[in-house]
Structures are given as structure tokens and as C-alpha cells.
Amino acid sequence: MAALGANLAQFTVYSNGTVVGYSELENGDAPMGVTFGAFKPSDEYNIIRHECLTNHLNQSALKLSVRTNAGLVIPCAGVSILDYSAEAGSELIELNVLGIPHKIYSELFPEHVASYNQQFH
């Protein structure tokens, strides 16, 4: 399998095929296949914003997906946008991508894997 685009700086977030924002997915938990980061909304985010503000438990109806710069959908168990901007008084919105298979996670987020492994050396 060719590299999926390691060291990408930007990932695109879709809801029902519409671009709703972007993230660098700068943080992660490698053993769990989880990555997360600040979410930067596009203008179309307003279509789903209310749901992201009020429903943090099940956003499956939004059909969220995340793609690499190369346009590849990241396979995962789930994606969520946690919007706390109303209560935090700022643009505090986080994107979470859960359950990414290990091989793909290692290719997309080698820095997360290296950071985790560093704990044991």
C-alpha cells in the first residue's frame, strides 16, 4: 500500500459530501487509533453547527468523514465535531477521529506513533 500522505498538515471534514471544515489533527492516541485537533469551520459548517453544539453523543446522521490532501477517506469507527464555542465564548471546536486501523494510522500520523513510543525509551 502506498503511503497515504504522512505528515499532512491539513485534513478536510465532510458532512453528507459537503466540506464543513478543516483540521490538522495535531494530537493523538496511537494505541487507540484516535486523532483529534482544532476544527476550523468553513462557511457550510453553519448547516450542521446546531447539531454539533447540542449533540455530542451521536452525530451519525451528519455522515461525517475526513479526507487527506490526496482525497482519500480515512477509514475509522467514527468522526465527531465537539463544538464548545457557545459556552467557552470562543471558537473552541474539536474534531475527533476514532478507531483508525493501526497500519493506516502509522502512515498518516507517524509523529503520534513516535511520541507514544518515546515514552518507553
Short mmCIF file of all heavy atoms in Angstrom, two decimals, residues 41-88:
data_model
loop_
_atom_site.label_atom_id
_atom_site.label_comp_id
_atom_site.label_asym_id
_atom_site.label_seq_id
_atom_site.Cartn_x
_atom_site.Cartn_y
_atom_site.Cartn_z
N PRO A 41 -13.90 25.71 10.96
CA PRO A 41 -15.10 25.57 10.14
C PRO A 41 -15.04 26.34 8.82
O PRO A 41 -14.41 27.39 8.73
CB PRO A 41 -16.21 26.13 11.03
CG PRO A 41 -15.53 27.00 12.01
CD PRO A 41 -14.13 26.47 12.18
N SER A 42 -15.71 25.78 7.81
CA SER A 42 -15.93 26.50 6.55
C SER A 42 -17.29 27.20 6.69
O SER A 42 -18.01 27.00 7.68
CB SER A 42 -15.96 25.52 5.38
OG SER A 42 -17.11 24.70 5.46
N ASP A 43 -17.69 27.98 5.71
CA ASP A 43 -18.99 28.65 5.75
C ASP A 43 -20.13 27.64 5.85
O ASP A 43 -21.14 27.90 6.50
CB ASP A 43 -19.19 29.54 4.53
CG ASP A 43 -18.27 30.75 4.54
OD1 ASP A 43 -17.77 31.13 5.63
OD2 ASP A 43 -18.04 31.32 3.46
N GLU A 44 -19.97 26.47 5.22
CA GLU A 44 -21.02 25.45 5.21
C GLU A 44 -21.21 24.80 6.58
O GLU A 44 -22.21 24.11 6.80
CB GLU A 44 -20.73 24.39 4.15
CG GLU A 44 -20.91 24.88 2.73
CD GLU A 44 -19.76 25.77 2.25
OE1 GLU A 44 -18.68 25.79 2.89
OE2 GLU A 44 -19.95 26.45 1.23
N TYR A 45 -20.28 25.00 7.51
CA TYR A 45 -20.43 24.43 8.84
C TYR A 45 -21.72 24.91 9.50
O TYR A 45 -22.33 24.19 10.30
CB TYR A 45 -19.22 24.80 9.71
CG TYR A 45 -19.36 24.36 11.15
CD1 TYR A 45 -19.40 23.01 11.48
CD2 TYR A 45 -19.45 25.29 12.18
CE1 TYR A 45 -19.54 22.60 12.81
CE2 TYR A 45 -19.58 24.90 13.50
CZ TYR A 45 -19.62 23.54 13.81
OH TYR A 45 -19.76 23.14 15.11
N ASN A 46 -22.18 26.10 9.14
CA ASN A 46 -23.41 26.64 9.74
C ASN A 46 -24.60 25.71 9.54
O ASN A 46 -25.53 25.72 10.34
CB ASN A 46 -23.71 28.03 9.19
CG ASN A 46 -22.75 29.06 9.76
OD1 ASN A 46 -22.35 28.97 10.92
ND2 ASN A 46 -22.37 30.02 8.95
N ILE A 47 -24.57 24.87 8.49
CA ILE A 47 -25.65 23.93 8.21
C ILE A 47 -25.78 22.90 9.34
O ILE A 47 -26.88 22.48 9.68
CB ILE A 47 -25.41 23.22 6.86
CG1 ILE A 47 -25.42 24.23 5.72
CG2 ILE A 47 -26.43 22.12 6.62
CD1 ILE A 47 -24.87 23.68 4.41
N ILE A 48 -24.64 22.49 9.92
CA ILE A 48 -24.65 21.44 10.94
C ILE A 48 -24.28 21.95 12.33
O ILE A 48 -24.25 21.18 13.28
CB ILE A 48 -23.72 20.27 10.55
CG1 ILE A 48 -22.26 20.71 10.50
CG2 ILE A 48 -24.17 19.65 9.24
CD1 ILE A 48 -21.26 19.58 10.43
N ARG A 49 -24.00 23.22 12.45
CA ARG A 49 -23.47 23.77 13.72
C ARG A 49 -24.38 23.48 14.91
O ARG A 49 -23.91 23.06 15.97
CB ARG A 49 -23.23 25.27 13.60
CG ARG A 49 -22.62 25.85 14.87
CD ARG A 49 -22.12 27.27 14.67
NE ARG A 49 -21.36 27.67 15.84
CZ ARG A 49 -21.79 28.56 16.72
NH1 ARG A 49 -22.96 29.15 16.55
NH2 ARG A 49 -21.05 28.86 17.76
N HIS A 50 -25.67 23.68 14.75
CA HIS A 50 -26.58 23.44 15.87
C HIS A 50 -26.45 22.01 16.40
O HIS A 50 -26.39 21.79 17.61
CB HIS A 50 -28.03 23.73 15.47
CG HIS A 50 -29.00 23.46 16.58
ND1 HIS A 50 -29.13 24.30 17.67
CD2 HIS A 50 -29.84 22.43 16.80
CE1 HIS A 50 -30.01 23.80 18.50
NE2 HIS A 50 -30.47 22.66 18.00
N GLU A 51 -26.38 21.04 15.50
CA GLU A 51 -26.24 19.64 15.91
C GLU A 51 -24.92 19.42 16.64
O GLU A 51 -24.87 18.69 17.63
CB GLU A 51 -26.34 18.73 14.68
CG GLU A 51 -26.31 17.26 14.99
CD GLU A 51 -27.59 16.74 15.63
OE1 GLU A 51 -28.61 17.46 15.67
OE2 GLU A 51 -27.57 15.59 16.11
N CYS A 52 -23.84 20.05 16.17
CA CYS A 52 -22.53 19.89 16.81
C CYS A 52 -22.45 20.59 18.16
O CYS A 52 -21.68 20.18 19.03
CB CYS A 52 -21.43 20.39 15.88
SG CYS A 52 -21.32 19.46 14.34
N LEU A 53 -23.24 21.64 18.35
CA LEU A 53 -23.31 22.33 19.63
C LEU A 53 -24.12 21.55 20.67
O LEU A 53 -23.79 21.54 21.84
CB LEU A 53 -23.98 23.70 19.46
CG LEU A 53 -23.13 24.84 18.94
CD1 LEU A 53 -24.01 25.99 18.48
CD2 LEU A 53 -22.16 25.31 20.01
N THR A 54 -25.19 20.90 20.23
CA THR A 54 -26.14 20.31 21.16
C THR A 54 -26.07 18.79 21.28
O THR A 54 -26.61 18.23 22.23
CB THR A 54 -27.58 20.67 20.74
OG1 THR A 54 -27.82 20.18 19.42
CG2 THR A 54 -27.78 22.18 20.78
N ASN A 55 -25.42 18.11 20.35
CA ASN A 55 -25.39 16.66 20.37
C ASN A 55 -23.96 16.16 20.26
O ASN A 55 -23.41 16.07 19.17
CB ASN A 55 -26.24 16.09 19.22
CG ASN A 55 -26.24 14.58 19.20
OD1 ASN A 55 -25.67 13.92 20.07
ND2 ASN A 55 -26.87 14.03 18.18
N HIS A 56 -23.38 15.79 21.37
CA HIS A 56 -22.02 15.26 21.38
C HIS A 56 -22.01 13.73 21.49
O HIS A 56 -20.96 13.12 21.49
CB HIS A 56 -21.20 15.86 22.52
CG HIS A 56 -20.93 17.31 22.35
ND1 HIS A 56 -20.35 18.08 23.33
CD2 HIS A 56 -21.15 18.15 21.31
CE1 HIS A 56 -20.22 19.33 22.90
NE2 HIS A 56 -20.71 19.39 21.69
N LEU A 57 -23.18 13.12 21.57
CA LEU A 57 -23.25 11.67 21.79
C LEU A 57 -23.34 10.86 20.50
O LEU A 57 -22.70 9.82 20.37
CB LEU A 57 -24.42 11.33 22.71
CG LEU A 57 -24.34 11.90 24.11
CD1 LEU A 57 -25.59 11.55 24.90
CD2 LEU A 57 -23.10 11.40 24.82
N ASN A 58 -24.18 11.29 19.57
CA ASN A 58 -24.38 10.51 18.35
C ASN A 58 -24.60 11.45 17.17
O ASN A 58 -25.70 11.97 16.99
CB ASN A 58 -25.56 9.56 18.51
CG ASN A 58 -25.78 8.69 17.28
OD1 ASN A 58 -25.11 8.84 16.26
ND2 ASN A 58 -26.71 7.77 17.38
N GLN A 59 -23.56 11.63 16.39
CA GLN A 59 -23.64 12.50 15.22
C GLN A 59 -23.69 11.71 13.92
O GLN A 59 -23.39 12.22 12.85
CB GLN A 59 -22.46 13.47 15.21
CG GLN A 59 -22.46 14.41 16.40
CD GLN A 59 -21.27 15.35 16.41
OE1 GLN A 59 -20.31 15.19 15.67
NE2 GLN A 59 -21.33 16.35 17.26
N SER A 60 -24.11 10.45 14.00
CA SER A 60 -24.11 9.59 12.81
C SER A 60 -24.99 10.13 11.69
O SER A 60 -24.70 9.92 10.52
CB SER A 60 -24.51 8.16 13.18
OG SER A 60 -25.81 8.13 13.75
N ALA A 61 -26.04 10.85 12.02
CA ALA A 61 -26.92 11.42 10.99
C ALA A 61 -26.20 12.45 10.13
O ALA A 61 -26.60 12.70 8.99
CB ALA A 61 -28.15 12.05 11.63
N LEU A 62 -25.11 13.02 10.65
CA LEU A 62 -24.35 14.02 9.89
C LEU A 62 -23.47 13.38 8.82
O LEU A 62 -22.96 14.08 7.95
CB LEU A 62 -23.49 14.87 10.83
CG LEU A 62 -24.24 15.68 11.88
CD1 LEU A 62 -23.26 16.41 12.78
CD2 LEU A 62 -25.21 16.65 11.22
N LYS A 63 -23.28 12.06 8.91
CA LYS A 63 -22.43 11.33 7.96
C LYS A 63 -21.08 12.04 7.79
O LYS A 63 -20.67 12.39 6.68
CB LYS A 63 -23.13 11.13 6.63
CG LYS A 63 -24.35 10.24 6.73
CD LYS A 63 -24.91 9.93 5.37
CE LYS A 63 -26.11 9.05 5.33
NZ LYS A 63 -26.84 8.70 6.45
N LEU A 64 -20.38 12.23 8.92
CA LEU A 64 -19.09 12.91 8.91
C LEU A 64 -18.00 11.99 8.40
O LEU A 64 -17.99 10.79 8.71
CB LEU A 64 -18.73 13.39 10.31
CG LEU A 64 -19.66 14.44 10.92
CD1 LEU A 64 -19.34 14.66 12.39
CD2 LEU A 64 -19.55 15.75 10.14
N SER A 65 -17.10 12.54 7.62
CA SER A 65 -15.91 11.81 7.16
C SER A 65 -14.76 12.79 7.04
O SER A 65 -14.96 14.00 6.99
CB SER A 65 -16.17 11.13 5.81
OG SER A 65 -16.43 12.09 4.80
N VAL A 66 -13.55 12.22 7.04
CA VAL A 66 -12.34 13.04 6.96
C VAL A 66 -11.50 12.51 5.81
O VAL A 66 -11.32 11.30 5.67
CB VAL A 66 -11.55 13.00 8.28
CG1 VAL A 66 -10.28 13.83 8.19
CG2 VAL A 66 -12.41 13.48 9.44
N ARG A 67 -10.97 13.43 5.01
CA ARG A 67 -10.13 13.05 3.88
C ARG A 67 -8.75 13.70 3.98
O ARG A 67 -8.60 14.80 4.50
CB ARG A 67 -10.77 13.48 2.56
CG ARG A 67 -12.06 12.77 2.28
CD ARG A 67 -12.60 13.12 0.94
NE ARG A 67 -13.93 12.53 0.80
CZ ARG A 67 -14.60 12.55 -0.33
NH1 ARG A 67 -14.10 13.13 -1.41
NH2 ARG A 67 -15.80 11.99 -0.38
N THR A 68 -7.78 13.00 3.42
CA THR A 68 -6.41 13.51 3.34
C THR A 68 -6.33 14.53 2.21
O THR A 68 -7.27 14.66 1.41
CB THR A 68 -5.41 12.39 3.07
OG1 THR A 68 -5.67 11.89 1.74
CG2 THR A 68 -5.52 11.26 4.08
N ASN A 69 -5.20 15.21 2.10
CA ASN A 69 -4.98 16.13 0.98
C ASN A 69 -5.07 15.43 -0.36
O ASN A 69 -5.40 16.03 -1.37
CB ASN A 69 -3.63 16.83 1.11
CG ASN A 69 -3.69 18.01 2.05
OD1 ASN A 69 -4.76 18.50 2.38
ND2 ASN A 69 -2.54 18.47 2.48
N ALA A 70 -4.75 14.12 -0.37
CA ALA A 70 -4.82 13.33 -1.60
C ALA A 70 -6.25 12.91 -1.91
O ALA A 70 -6.50 12.27 -2.93
CB ALA A 70 -3.92 12.11 -1.48
N GLY A 71 -7.21 13.23 -1.03
CA GLY A 71 -8.60 12.91 -1.27
C GLY A 71 -9.04 11.55 -0.77
O GLY A 71 -10.16 11.13 -1.03
N LEU A 72 -8.17 10.86 -0.04
CA LEU A 72 -8.52 9.54 0.48
C LEU A 72 -9.30 9.66 1.79
O LEU A 72 -8.88 10.38 2.70
CB LEU A 72 -7.26 8.71 0.72
CG LEU A 72 -6.39 8.46 -0.51
CD1 LEU A 72 -5.06 7.84 -0.11
CD2 LEU A 72 -7.12 7.58 -1.50
N VAL A 73 -10.42 8.96 1.87
CA VAL A 73 -11.21 8.95 3.09
C VAL A 73 -10.46 8.13 4.14
O VAL A 73 -9.99 7.02 3.86
CB VAL A 73 -12.60 8.34 2.85
CG1 VAL A 73 -13.39 8.21 4.16
CG2 VAL A 73 -13.39 9.17 1.85
N ILE A 74 -10.33 8.66 5.34
CA ILE A 74 -9.68 7.93 6.42
C ILE A 74 -10.69 6.93 6.99
O ILE A 74 -11.73 7.32 7.53
CB ILE A 74 -9.21 8.88 7.54
CG1 ILE A 74 -8.20 9.89 7.00
CG2 ILE A 74 -8.63 8.09 8.71
CD1 ILE A 74 -7.77 10.94 8.02
N PRO A 75 -10.40 5.62 6.86
CA PRO A 75 -11.31 4.63 7.44
C PRO A 75 -11.25 4.71 8.97
O PRO A 75 -10.16 4.83 9.54
CB PRO A 75 -10.78 3.30 6.92
CG PRO A 75 -9.35 3.55 6.58
CD PRO A 75 -9.23 5.01 6.24
N CYS A 76 -12.41 4.67 9.59
CA CYS A 76 -12.44 4.79 11.05
C CYS A 76 -13.78 4.31 11.59
O CYS A 76 -14.71 4.05 10.82
CB CYS A 76 -12.21 6.24 11.45
SG CYS A 76 -13.50 7.37 10.90
N ALA A 77 -13.86 4.21 12.91
CA ALA A 77 -15.10 3.81 13.56
C ALA A 77 -16.06 4.98 13.72
O ALA A 77 -17.27 4.78 13.83
CB ALA A 77 -14.79 3.20 14.92
N GLY A 78 -15.54 6.20 13.72
CA GLY A 78 -16.42 7.34 13.87
C GLY A 78 -15.69 8.67 13.86
O GLY A 78 -14.50 8.74 14.14
N VAL A 79 -16.45 9.71 13.51
CA VAL A 79 -15.94 11.08 13.49
C VAL A 79 -16.94 11.93 14.25
O VAL A 79 -18.15 11.74 14.12
CB VAL A 79 -15.82 11.61 12.03
CG1 VAL A 79 -15.37 13.06 12.01
CG2 VAL A 79 -14.89 10.73 11.20
N SER A 80 -16.44 12.87 15.04
CA SER A 80 -17.35 13.79 15.72
C SER A 80 -16.74 15.19 15.78
O SER A 80 -15.53 15.35 15.78
CB SER A 80 -17.67 13.31 17.14
OG SER A 80 -16.50 13.26 17.92
N ILE A 81 -17.63 16.16 15.79
CA ILE A 81 -17.24 17.56 15.96
C ILE A 81 -17.86 18.02 17.27
O ILE A 81 -19.08 18.02 17.42
CB ILE A 81 -17.74 18.44 14.80
CG1 ILE A 81 -17.15 17.95 13.46
CG2 ILE A 81 -17.40 19.90 15.05
CD1 ILE A 81 -17.77 18.61 12.24
N LEU A 82 -17.00 18.36 18.22
CA LEU A 82 -17.46 18.80 19.53
C LEU A 82 -17.31 20.32 19.61
O LEU A 82 -16.21 20.83 19.73
CB LEU A 82 -16.67 18.11 20.63
CG LEU A 82 -16.65 16.57 20.55
CD1 LEU A 82 -15.82 16.00 21.69
CD2 LEU A 82 -18.05 16.01 20.57
N ASP A 83 -18.43 21.01 19.51
CA ASP A 83 -18.43 22.47 19.46
C ASP A 83 -18.79 23.00 20.85
O ASP A 83 -19.91 22.86 21.32
CB ASP A 83 -19.44 22.95 18.43
CG ASP A 83 -19.33 24.44 18.14
OD1 ASP A 83 -18.90 25.19 19.03
OD2 ASP A 83 -19.68 24.83 17.01
N TYR A 84 -17.80 23.61 21.50
CA TYR A 84 -17.98 24.21 22.82
C TYR A 84 -17.94 25.73 22.74
O TYR A 84 -17.80 26.39 23.76
CB TYR A 84 -16.90 23.72 23.78
CG TYR A 84 -16.93 22.23 24.02
CD1 TYR A 84 -15.97 21.40 23.44
CD2 TYR A 84 -17.91 21.65 24.81
CE1 TYR A 84 -16.00 20.03 23.66
CE2 TYR A 84 -17.94 20.29 25.04
CZ TYR A 84 -16.99 19.48 24.46
OH TYR A 84 -17.02 18.13 24.67
N SER A 85 -18.04 26.28 21.54
CA SER A 85 -17.85 27.72 21.37
C SER A 85 -18.90 28.54 22.10
O SER A 85 -18.60 29.63 22.58
CB SER A 85 -17.80 28.09 19.89
OG SER A 85 -19.01 27.73 19.25
N ALA A 86 -20.11 28.05 22.23
CA ALA A 86 -21.17 28.82 22.91
C ALA A 86 -20.86 28.98 24.39
O ALA A 86 -21.04 30.06 24.96
CB ALA A 86 -22.52 28.14 22.72
N GLU A 87 -20.36 27.92 25.03
CA GLU A 87 -20.07 28.01 26.46
C GLU A 87 -18.69 28.56 26.76
O GLU A 87 -18.48 29.15 27.81
CB GLU A 87 -20.27 26.64 27.12
CG GLU A 87 -19.80 25.51 26.26
CD GLU A 87 -20.37 24.16 26.61
OE1 GLU A 87 -21.58 23.95 26.48
OE2 GLU A 87 -19.56 23.32 26.98
N ALA A 88 -17.76 28.40 25.85
CA ALA A 88 -16.40 28.86 26.09
C ALA A 88 -16.21 30.32 25.67
O ALA A 88 -15.21 30.93 25.99
CB ALA A 88 -15.39 27.99 25.34
#
